[in-house]
Amino acid sequence: MIASWNGFAPDPAPERPRGPRDTIAKLAAHLDLPVNALKAAGSNAPTVWHCSVRAAPEDRILTDTEWAAIARRIVHATGIAPKGDTKACRWVAVRHNADHIHIVATLMRQDGRTPDNGRDFTRAQREARQIEIDYVLRRVRSGDGTAAKRPTQAEQHRAKRLGHATTAREQLRTKVRLAVAAASDEEQFFLALDQFGVLFKKSLLPSGDVKGYSVTLPGETAWFSGSNLAPDLSLPKIRQRLATIDPLPRKLTPTAAWKQAARTTENVPHALRTGNDEAGQAHIAALSELLDVTAALSPPAHRARLHHAAEVFERANRSRIKPQHRKANALHRATRELLYTSGTKDGETLALILFMIAVAVIAAAEWHAQRGHQQQAEAAWQTGVHLHTAYQQAAAQPLANLSHRTPDTHTLTRYQHTVQTVLPDHATRIATAPAWPALATVLADAEQAGHDNAEILGQAAQSHNLTDANSPAQTLVWSVRARTRKATAGDRTTAARTKTATERTTATTLAATPTAPATDRVAHDPTRRH
């Protein structure tokens, strides 16, 4: 015991002469004295208040004296025991590990009144942010109440016993998000839940209308309502989202669908810079859907990392700003189109979509940071780190293949002149970059397809900030590629898709997709861009 309400509470430390058991009984009696004396007969109101306070793994080891002072600040801030109030609740603080303490109090003041501890969690968090500053500890980003609920310790222990990398709550959150991305109306949403291996039940109003839903996984006993998975997964929020969605034409071939998704994603940074806040939030929510779907349909070698990136970005897709989902309909449609493909095994296509998503995610991080959304910005920066690693792995072979097809020297010289003319401020960096041979190949392909290279380079440069890009040449490789690989009339099919074999294969793949294991937090450099 490092602190208590009066400094004289019985300390049940093991080294006490009579051992801890007898002292614990005495301590409990002291703590419960006001409760037993003053609590109304038959009252079921809670009488115990518990708060754990933990330092970060990288923080220094605090002394008992420092932890005692921190405990007093917490009980003061939460209204459990205001400083100088001798009639406040009784409480003790116990340290049984180097990095944290537990504070336990009885919820009855010694003068017979109940404590003024409303919104105690928020008040404790506010004081914790100040404690981090005063004691030079790791600074935690402030939240805005829009984060998804974390799994309980019981859920985590169950997942560990069963050998699962993530809890049922986390797996369900991913699958429900995929179902929302796949649907254009409420009926399709519930059909998608079934296809993705989710058991669900609907709650009904007396009129028979559906009020809400809850979900679980086969073999699990706990059911979760949509709002218990995430604030934007309640049925009313899903209905708001689906009400803005246009019918999906579903005419693109799988290859064309992935190219269209990449091209649409390239427009997200511009939409974030020029649109209003509600449109920006809608594009970030749509980007989160796209990342979920890309992770689920990616090749197995990349799937775990991309799933983890999607889980991290989940925190970035909500804020207090109400999204205008119709503003991001183009990205919603492109994402839903992907769900009618069987994924992509083409390394170049995967590298293309990952590059565009990574650029959009960094733009989302900057957008949140400008608006003071600390947790969302931090989540987006971390996602960018994971995506950058995934992109590098996916792009290595495609870039090498493009470099092996470099045009002849005369053509290279001509393309260098074009770059110098169109992009004089970046020409030297581009022409001397390792990715220049790949860019030359992409320009040759574009020229062969009938494109004007000067025009297409100018368009690509306008869509990206080449000054801050790590590799302007790589940026142009994918931006030009996205423009020269648009779907053509020959790529389309007029046959309406119903329940085809491809769709069944995709649904089975998504339902069986493993969730990525949790990894340690990765430090980021906010000055770097992809």
Side-chain angles (χ1 to χ4, degrees):
M1 185 185 298
I2 58 169
S4 66
W5 76 96
N6 62 1
F8 299 103
D11 187 350
E15 64 268 17
R16 293 289 182 261
R18 298 187 62 182
R21 191 177 299 277
D22 181 61
T23 312
I24 287 175
K26 290 182 179 180
L27 175 60
H30 279 274
L31 286 168
D32 284 338
L33 185 60
V35 175
N36 294 333
L38 302 168
K39 184 178 179 182
S43 173
N44 292 321
T47 60
V48 178
W49 185 88
H50 173 219
C51 175
S52 61
V53 189
R54 184 182 300 273
E58 64 268 28
D59 285 335
R60 64 183 176 86
I61 302 299
L62 300 171
T63 66
D64 283 353
T65 301
E66 288 174 318
W67 274 121
I70 290 171
R72 294 187 182 96
R73 290 178 63 165
I74 294 294
V75 295
H76 168 77
T78 55
I80 294 296
K83 185 177 181 180
D85 187 348
T86 59
K87 301 297 183 182
C89 298
R90 296 188 173 191
W91 61 274
V92 295
V94 177
R95 180 183 188 183
H96 51 74
N97 208 334
D99 65 344
H100 72 278
I101 62 173
H102 291 271
I103 306 172
V104 178
T106 46
L107 289 175
M108 182 67 72
R109 288 173 51 86
Q110 296 177 77
D111 58 8
R113 296 185 291 122
T114 56
D116 180 18
N117 67 319
R119 298 177 64 250
D120 52 355
F121 182 85
T122 302
R123 292 157 71 179
Q125 289 293 326
R126 187 183 303 118
E127 184 64 22
R129 301 295 80 78
Q130 187 59 45
I131 290 171
E132 291 160 3
I133 297 173
D134 296 343
Y135 286 83
V136 194
L137 305 174
R138 192 187 78 182
R139 302 280 297 278
V140 175
R141 306 292 183 181
S142 298
D144 58 4
T146 61
K149 291 185 178 181
R150 295 181 179 180
T152 65
Q153 286 190 348
E155 293 171 31
Q156 295 175 23
H157 292 326
R158 176 173 174 78
K160 187 176 181 179
R161 288 196 308 271
L162 296 176
H164 296 161
T166 56
T167 64
R169 183 194 297 265
E170 293 166 310
Q171 295 177 51
L172 285 166
R173 186 182 299 137
T174 298
K175 290 178 180 291
V176 173
R177 289 204 309 261
L178 286 169
V180 174
S184 57
D185 57 43
E186 190 172 325
E187 181 181 2
Q188 286 188 3
F189 166 67
F190 286 112
L191 286 174
L193 286 179
D194 182 61
Q195 291 175 5
F196 296 159
V198 176
L199 304 178
F200 65 89
K201 55 186 179 183
K202 304 176 183 178
S203 56
L204 305 178
L205 295 168
S207 62
D209 295 329
V210 179
K211 179 178 66 173
Y213 72 99
S214 54
V215 291
T216 191
L217 293 172
E220 294 287 344
T221 57
W223 288 77
F224 300 91
S225 66
S227 59
N228 270 330
L229 297 178
D232 57 338
L233 294 182
S234 67
L235 190 58
K237 291 291 181 65
I238 292 175
R239 283 170 172 163
Q240 291 175 11
R241 171 81 65 89
L242 297 178
T244 66
I245 292 178
D246 296 331
L248 185 66
R250 287 188 249 165
K251 293 181 179 179
L252 296 179
T253 63
T255 300
W258 283 96
K259 303 305 181 292
Q260 180 63 29
R263 183 69 186 87
T264 307
T265 307
E266 188 180 27
N267 297 327
V268 171
H270 176 75
L272 294 177
R273 289 193 302 268
T274 60
N276 59 28
D277 283 0
E278 291 75 14
Q281 184 61 63
H283 278 88
I284 293 174
L287 182 63
S288 181
E289 285 184 353
L290 175 62
L291 187 49
D292 284 330
V293 172
T294 301
L297 297 179
S298 62
H302 302 279
R303 196 170 295 161
R305 182 177 294 278
L306 292 179
H307 266 298
H308 183 61
E311 284 298 318
V312 174
F313 194 71
E314 193 273 340
R315 178 64 193 101
N317 79 342
R318 287 184 304 275
S319 71
R320 289 291 183 183
I321 298 172
K322 185 178 180 180
Q324 292 179 344
H325 291 296
R326 193 171 295 281
K327 297 287 186 178
N329 253 353
L331 190 54
H332 284 303
R333 286 195 300 271
T335 299
R336 279 185 292 150
E337 188 71 58
L338 297 183
L339 286 167
Y340 289 92
T341 73
S342 55
T344 177
K345 297 180 181 179
D346 178 12
E348 185 177 307
T349 300
L350 180 64
L352 171 62
I353 190 71
L354 291 184
F355 182 86
M356 295 304 179
I357 294 176
V359 172
V361 163
I362 297 303
E366 295 171 346
W367 187 89
H368 278 306
Q370 291 167 1
R371 288 154 182 79
H373 303 162
Q374 296 182 5
Q375 288 188 356
Q376 291 90 334
E378 175 71 15
W381 286 122
Q382 289 186 45
T383 305
V385 172
H386 292 300
L387 286 175
H388 184 58
T389 302
Y391 161 74
Q392 288 179 318
Q393 294 175 348
Q397 190 59 52
L399 288 174
N401 294 340
L402 290 171
S403 297
H404 291 158
R405 297 197 294 113
T406 306
D408 57 69
T409 303
H410 174 72
T411 305
L412 277 176
T413 302
R414 184 161 55 86
Y415 290 163
Q416 286 175 343
H417 177 72
T418 302
V419 172
Q420 180 66 50
T421 303
V422 178
L423 304 170
D425 295 337
H426 309 287
T428 301
R429 286 184 69 195
I430 292 171
T432 58
W436 165 245
L439 176 57
T441 301
V442 169
L443 291 173
D445 291 345
E447 190 173 57
Q448 186 175 6
H451 293 276
D452 181 280
N453 278 340
E455 180 181 357
I456 205 169
L457 274 172
Q459 294 173 351
Q462 287 180 352
S463 298
H464 298 274
N465 185 345
L466 298 182
T467 301
D468 292 341
N470 285 341
S471 173
Q474 282 195 44
T475 300
L476 293 172
V477 165
W478 303 118
S479 188
V480 170
R481 200 53 138 181
R483 284 166 169 75
T484 56
R485 291 242 179 149
K486 289 182 179 180
T488 64
D491 294 326
R492 297 177 180 270
T493 176
T494 56
R497 293 187 194 166
T498 55
K499 192 67 176 176
T500 64
T502 298
E503 293 176 43
R504 288 193 294 271
T505 302
T506 301
T508 303
T509 301
L510 291 172
T513 297
T515 305
T519 63
D520 293 335
R521 291 165 60 93
V522 179
H524 70 273
D525 179 356
T527 65
R528 292 178 64 85
R529 299 171 65 96
H530 297 277

